[in-house]
Amino acid sequence: MDYLIGLVTALSMATFFGIFWWACSQGRQLANRESAQLPFILPDEGEPSTPHGAERR
């Protein structure tokens, strides 16, 4: 039973480090930069969604 626990732990660690390596790889840099800017693209809560200078009726 201890071997099974050790095997599952090793597989879990390998999966974690594999995902981490993939997320930080060179091919993902552009996507990571674009994703980092998403919160700044959305309008702030409570502000009108009309562009500046547009009249509200």
Side-chain angles (χ1 to χ4, degrees):
M1 188 67 176
D2 288 337
Y3 293 113
L4 181 62
I5 293 170
L7 179 64
V8 169
T9 301
L11 287 174
S12 298
M13 286 178 54
T15 302
F16 173 79
F17 286 119
I19 292 172
F20 184 80
W21 173 79
W22 169 78
C24 295
S25 65
Q26 288 286 95
R28 299 270 323 146
Q29 280 187 348
L30 179 61
N32 289 342
R33 272 194 232 112
E34 289 175 353
S35 297
Q37 295 300 317
L38 285 177
F40 303 110
I41 294 172
L42 298 174
D44 291 336
E45 292 180 15
E47 286 189 11
S49 59
T50 57
H52 295 289
E55 294 183 26
R56 289 182 65 183
R57 296 179 189 215

